[in-house]
């Protein structure tokens, strides 16, 4: 829910509570699909009309803009004109309402990345993509943007949908961005799970449905969501490598995808359109980027500028990386040009994913200019998962530095195009470009274990007295990824003791819901089984039997639940111990 709307609801809460009759309003909201029957029933169980109103407002505060608009409309329909007037002013500007800020809201709700800090327009390409997207107005289909690494496909895809008319006329159901990248089947399932989760959450943040278990199930879930709950929306799949991925999304919806492989959509059905980003930026745009980074006028740039653009054939990525370097070392034009040129003689074709050799060099060069101590810190980012955004506080634990100091360092990385920041989010969230992460992993291949260990050890040091439970972004990161880091670090012992602990089960399911936890037992099953496969299955069993209760709020007493496990189960044993402790301490 938009800030303005939220604050408006809070301001007029008492008046609304006094006056409204929730049952009528809820009927409208259910038929608008912004509220479920379950939620309605929960509210109806409240004793008085006023309690019910309060509960409805409470629920509304957790919902999205659409729910707010539906609530507003239902006030109008039920002739609460005075109340509707109070809310009108702060009506969120989504979809058919509003202009620029409406577009921004739709895009950021759908996870569409923002423009890079230094940005040049490519009107001809953008228009070609938009023109194809308009063909999806009436019917589902696929639009492919293809081209090589770093040619600006993702930026282009995000830019194409940054258009009020297009969203309003073609995709009033919203725009949903999903970063894919190179992945194996299980990872694809996780991505699809998280997409379903996101889509379901924004309709209905309270119920947590079980994540789909298989690709087929995920596909069906998504088909339903796109058809029934998000009709006329656009799904953007960024960086697809494999046609099996596309098959999972072959559900008769509207899709924009970016890829290096032009022929991917051959294997799926429906209307298909494509736009190639075959050449890089033309010289003037390339120079414009260099000029923006170095704060010079394009015609005042040195002669090398032109050669740099030519040397990398206008690759937006390479020009941007070098631009960012020059921003700090403005007298290194000649040096960076030479680096690029030398590359031509040393064509080291690596197994890594870049088609573009110069990329490695440009990337390595960006890292080399960091002061030594910051280079080490940057290296620590190797352990992040793709597309995961983290708040500075996580790194403050990892690096054992004050949050403010961490923010300054991260800002430095951002300024050097080594890191991206999502500044829509408070606190800011930071993330790496896929290529940067690939590069880091490649560079630090032999140290992955120790880098992950460092994360775990720093966490353990910082949270000696128990895991964080605040539910803020930092807490969520640890609760979600601690097991991942332990597994990657090869710290099996730590992983066993964490995952074979009823306390952890209780903490994690309270904060993230049981689905994530079950996922962990499946994902790390083979590691856990080396210690004790029975205990592993006892925990898993416990979770699948009680998944439903663990989704309930208020959160149930896990010890009580666990006491009904078979008496030879480790889950039972720990619960009994805790129950005894409770009686002892009163
Ligand atoms: P691809 O998806 O083709 O691999 P991206 O769209 O991710 O490439 O672009 C790679 C990088 O190139 C971006 O992070 C950005 O720094 C730069 N870039 C791409 N397009 C532009 C643009 N229009 N203006 C400025 N920089 C751009």
């Amino acid at each position: 829910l938009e800030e303005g709307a939220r604050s408006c609801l809070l301001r007029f809460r008492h008046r609304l509570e006094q006056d409204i009759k929730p049952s009528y309003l809820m009927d409208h909201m259910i038929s608008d699909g912004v509220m479920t029957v379950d939620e309605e029933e929960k509210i109806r169980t409240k004793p008085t009309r006023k309690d019910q109103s309060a509960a409805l407002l409470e629920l509304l505060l957790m919902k999205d803009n659409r729910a707010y608009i539906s609530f507003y409309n239902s006030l109008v329909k039920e002739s609460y004109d005075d109340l509707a007037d109070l809310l009108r002013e702060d009506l969120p500007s989504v979809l058919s309402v509003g202009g620029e800020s409406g577009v921004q809201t739709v895009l950021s709700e759908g996870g569409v990345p923002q423009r890079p800090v230094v940005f040049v327009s490519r009107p001809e390409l953008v228009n070609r993509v938009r023109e194809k997207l308009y063909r999806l107005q009436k019917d589902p289909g696929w639009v492919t943007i293809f081209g090589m690494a770093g040619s600006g496909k993702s930026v282009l895809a995000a830019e194409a949908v940054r258009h009020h008319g297009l969203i309003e006329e073609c995709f009033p159901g919203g725009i949903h961005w999903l970063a894919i990248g190179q992945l194996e089947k299980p990872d694809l399932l996780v991505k699809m799970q998280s997409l379903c989760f996101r889509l379901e959450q924004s309709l209905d943040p309270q119920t947590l449905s079980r994540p789909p278990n298989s690709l087929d199930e995920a596909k069906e879930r998504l088909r339903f969501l796109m058809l029934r709950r998000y009709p006329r929306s656009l799904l953007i799949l960024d960086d697809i490598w494999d046609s099996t991925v596309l098959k999972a999304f072959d559900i008769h919806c509207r899709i924009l995808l970016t890829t290096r492989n032009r022929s991917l959509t051959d294997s799926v059905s429906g209307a298909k359109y494509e736009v190639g980003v075959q050449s890089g930026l033309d010289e003037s745009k390339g120079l414009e980027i260099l000029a923006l980074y170095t704060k010079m006028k394009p015609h005042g740039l040195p002669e090398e500028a032109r050669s740099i653009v030519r040397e990398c054939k206008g690759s937006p990525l390479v020009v941007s990386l070098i631009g960012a370097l020059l921003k700090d070392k403005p007298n290194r034009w000649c040096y960076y040009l030479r680096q690029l040129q030398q590359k031509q003689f040393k064509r080291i074709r690596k197994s890594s994913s870049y088609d573009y050799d110069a990329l490695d060099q440009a990337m390595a060069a960006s890292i080399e200019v960091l002061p030594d101590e910051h280079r080490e810190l940057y290296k620590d980012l190797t352990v992040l998962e793709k597309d995961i955004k983290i708040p500075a506080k996580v790194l403050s634990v990892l690096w054992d530095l004050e949050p403010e100091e961490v923010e300054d360092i991260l800002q430095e990385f951002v300024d050097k195009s080594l890191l991206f920041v999502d500044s829509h989010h408070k606190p800011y969230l930071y993330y790496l470009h896929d290529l940067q992460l690939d590069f880091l992993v490649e560079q630090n291949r032999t140290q992955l274990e120790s880098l992950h260990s460092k994360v775990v050890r720093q966490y353990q040091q910082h949270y000696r007295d128990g895991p964080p439970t605040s539910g803020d972004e930092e807490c969520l990161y640890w609760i979600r990824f601690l097991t991942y880091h332990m597994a990657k670090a090869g710290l099996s012992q730590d992983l066993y003791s964490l995952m074979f602990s009823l306390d952890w089960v209780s903490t994690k399911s309270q904060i993230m819901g049981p689905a994530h936890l079950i996922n962990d037992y499946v994902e790390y099953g083979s590691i856990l089984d080396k210690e004790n496969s029975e205990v592993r299955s006892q925990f898993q069993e416990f979770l699948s039997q009680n998944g439903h209760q663990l989704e309930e709020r208020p959160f149930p007493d896990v010890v009580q639940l666990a006491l009904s496990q078979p008496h030879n189960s480790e889950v039972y044993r720990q619960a009994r111990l805790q129950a005894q402790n409770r009686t002892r301490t009163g």
Side-chain angles (χ1 to χ4, degrees):
L1 190 56
E2 232 172 67
E3 204 180 17
R6 181 190 299 277
S7 113
C8 186
L9 267 187
L10 290 171
R11 249 181 304 142
F12 300 120
R13 192 175 194 153
H14 292 296
R15 283 236 11 222
L16 290 162
E17 275 174 18
Q18 296 291 339
D19 295 351
I20 57 176
K21 286 209 180 62
S23 53
Y24 298 133
L25 302 176
M26 291 195 293
D27 285 345
H28 293 296
M29 293 177 69
I30 289 176
S31 66
D32 282 352
V34 297
M35 182 171 184
T36 65
V37 179
D38 280 354
E39 288 171 337
E40 186 201 21
E41 262 163 25
K42 262 201 202 121
I43 291 178
R44 276 183 194 279
T45 56
K46 304 277 182 244
T48 66
R49 187 200 51 77
K50 201 167 157 210
D51 291 333
Q52 295 184 359
S53 309
L56 175 60
L57 295 176
E58 199 54 52
L59 178 69
L60 202 54
L61 281 168
M62 298 174 57
K63 296 227 171 216
D64 64 1
N65 290 339
R66 256 180 308 181
Y68 184 85
I69 292 173
S70 162
F71 177 71
Y72 167 82
N73 287 336
S74 60
L75 287 176
V76 174
K77 284 181 201 146
E78 293 296 327
S79 315
Y80 291 109
D81 295 336
D82 293 354
L83 296 178
D85 281 346
L86 294 179
L87 300 193
R88 180 169 316 119
E89 195 184 325
D90 287 296
L91 215 51
S93 46
V94 277
L95 309 180
S96 59
V97 208
E100 266 322 293
S101 77
V103 170
Q104 197 43 54
T105 311
V106 171
L107 298 186
S108 61
E109 277 180 359
V112 177
Q114 300 160 67
R115 279 184 182 162
V117 190
V118 166
F119 170 82
V120 295
S121 64
R122 303 169 92 179
E124 200 257 339
L125 270 174
V126 171
N127 284 335
R128 271 190 4 234
V129 178
R130 284 187 186 148
E131 188 242 325
K132 304 292 183 215
L133 289 174
Y134 267 103
R135 312 261 183 109
L136 303 183
Q137 184 172 22
K138 295 265 170 342
D139 297 302
W142 308 80
V143 175
T144 303
I145 300 179
F146 66 91
M148 67 186 206
S151 60
K153 301 180 293 293
S154 313
V155 172
L156 183 61
E159 194 57 23
V161 293
R162 201 167 286 131
H163 187 271
H164 186 247
L166 182 72
I167 296 179
E168 199 167 87
E169 289 162 46
C170 300
F171 312 112
I175 312 271
H176 311 284
W177 182 281
L178 190 63
I180 303 278
Q182 265 179 310
L183 39 67
E184 305 288 327
K185 270 206 176 132
D187 298 326
L188 175 58
L189 178 58
V190 172
K191 296 256 176 203
M192 294 187 72
Q193 285 172 336
S194 76
L195 178 64
C196 290
F197 181 76
R198 218 165 80 191
L199 294 173
E200 284 166 350
Q201 282 282 296
S202 65
L203 283 177
D204 185 5
Q206 291 215 306
T207 57
L208 216 167
S209 54
R210 190 177 56 78
N213 269 329
S214 65
L215 279 180
D216 283 338
E217 203 185 313
K219 186 173 170 180
E220 284 319 305
R221 180 85 61 93
L222 205 58
R223 188 200 303 280
F224 170 83
L225 280 168
M226 297 307 274
L227 191 71
R228 291 291 161 77
R229 312 302 298 270
Y230 290 90
R232 303 192 61 207
S233 61
L234 180 71
L235 193 57
I236 304 182
L237 302 177
D238 187 32
D239 197 18
I240 307 270
W241 287 70
D242 193 335
S243 58
T244 53
V245 173
L246 279 198
K247 285 189 190 136
F249 291 93
D250 194 0
I251 49 174
H252 214 64
C253 64
R254 294 166 168 81
I255 290 183
L256 170 63
L257 64 126
T258 74
T259 178
R260 302 183 196 176
N261 178 352
R262 181 176 191 172
S263 58
L264 279 183
T265 49
D266 290 353
S267 57
V268 292
S269 55
K272 293 160 200 171
Y273 311 93
E274 59 171 37
V275 175
V277 189
Q278 273 134 325
S279 50
L281 299 167
D282 59 32
E283 194 170 271
S284 63
K285 292 284 176 188
L287 293 177
E288 191 182 334
I289 291 188
L290 293 176
L292 285 167
Y293 270 113
T294 53
K295 302 207 163 48
M296 295 166 93
K297 296 261 181 302
H299 58 261
L301 289 168
E303 191 42 47
E304 288 87 358
R306 214 171 291 274
S307 311
I308 287 174
V309 176
R310 239 178 260 152
E311 197 65 48
C312 67
K313 305 193 184 65
S315 161
L317 178 60
V318 177
V319 176
S320 303
L321 283 168
I322 294 186
L325 290 169
L326 285 163
K327 185 174 148 196
D328 284 344
K329 307 271 176 193
N331 46 14
R332 289 213 176 160
W333 288 93
C334 202
Y335 171 70
Y336 292 127
L337 172 60
R338 229 177 323 126
Q339 274 205 326
L340 263 181
Q341 285 169 334
Q342 276 170 4
K343 196 62 199 168
Q344 297 219 313
F345 302 109
K346 304 189 273 172
R347 282 203 169 268
I348 317 154
R349 288 252 167 229
K350 282 227 239 144
S351 63
S352 69
S353 54
Y354 323 124
D355 305 342
Y356 215 99
D357 296 341
L359 213 60
D360 275 37
Q361 287 256 306
M363 208 92 88
S366 314
I367 297 175
E368 272 160 30
V369 296
L370 292 172
D372 289 345
E373 65 279 15
H374 290 181
R375 199 179 319 139
E376 281 304 303
L377 298 180
Y378 189 70
K379 187 160 128 190
D380 286 334
L381 303 180
T382 310
V383 299
L384 295 182
E385 275 233 84
K386 275 203 173 164
D387 304 319
I388 297 302
K389 301 180 176 179
I390 55 167
K393 268 169 81 186
V394 168
L395 295 170
S396 142
V397 172
L398 175 59
W399 293 339
D400 203 12
L401 294 173
E402 296 293 319
E404 291 77 6
E405 207 175 331
V406 171
E407 275 165 22
D408 291 346
I409 296 171
L410 293 176
Q411 188 56 46
E412 180 194 350
F413 293 164
V414 171
D415 292 343
K416 297 202 158 107
S417 288
L418 285 167
L419 189 69
F420 290 81
V421 59
D422 181 347
S423 50
H424 278 313
H425 201 283
K426 296 280 144 45
Y428 287 1
L429 297 178
Y430 298 88
Y431 60 102
L432 287 164
H433 189 285
D434 272 8
L435 291 172
Q436 291 162 335
L437 196 53
D438 283 347
F439 179 79
L440 279 176
V441 171
E442 181 78 27
Q443 261 211 331
N444 303 314
R445 188 162 290 290
T446 57
Q447 301 163 56
L448 293 180
E449 281 202 358
S450 67
L451 289 169
H452 281 284
S453 288
K454 175 172 173 193
V455 180
V456 176
R457 296 299 175 226
Q458 287 298 110
Y459 166 88
Q460 287 168 335
Q461 168 81 12
H462 194 89
Y463 288 107
R464 273 179 302 247
D465 305 329
T469 51
S470 63
D472 67 7
E473 289 288 341
E474 187 220 345
C475 156
L476 289 178
Y477 182 85
W478 292 118
I479 301 297
R480 179 157 170 212
F481 288 107
L482 184 58
T483 46
Y484 160 78
H485 290 301
M486 286 177 171
K488 292 278 179 182
L491 293 172
S492 315
Q493 209 57 54
D494 296 75
L495 192 67
Y496 308 143
S497 26
L498 189 71
M499 292 189 60
F500 293 165
S501 136
L502 194 57
D503 286 333
W504 173 253
V505 167
S506 168
T507 307
K508 183 153 181 167
S509 54
Q510 179 157 15
I511 291 171
M512 310 223 65
H516 264 280
L517 201 52
I518 295 178
N519 234 15
D520 279 355
Y521 285 96
V522 176
E523 183 142 6
Y524 306 121
S526 58
I527 305 178
L528 298 175
D529 283 355
K530 278 192 210 126
E531 170 75 8
N532 193 331
S533 61
E534 255 168 55
V535 172
R536 197 262 305 143
S537 56
Q538 288 160 358
F539 273 93
Q540 215 168 321
E541 191 71 358
F542 170 65
L543 286 169
S544 32
Q545 283 170 9
N546 295 284
H548 211 70
Q549 273 100 309
L550 294 174
E551 276 162 16
E552 301 275 316
R553 296 295 177 275
F555 192 69
D557 182 349
V558 173
V559 171
Q560 279 306 325
L561 291 180
L563 283 174
S564 52
Q565 290 296 292
H567 290 194
N568 61 356
S569 159
E570 171 67 17
V571 179
Y572 173 81
R573 197 191 62 79
Q574 290 188 20
R576 217 175 80 115
L577 217 62
Q578 292 202 18
Q580 283 167 349
N581 274 341
R582 277 186 197 172
T583 23
R584 201 168 310 131
T585 54

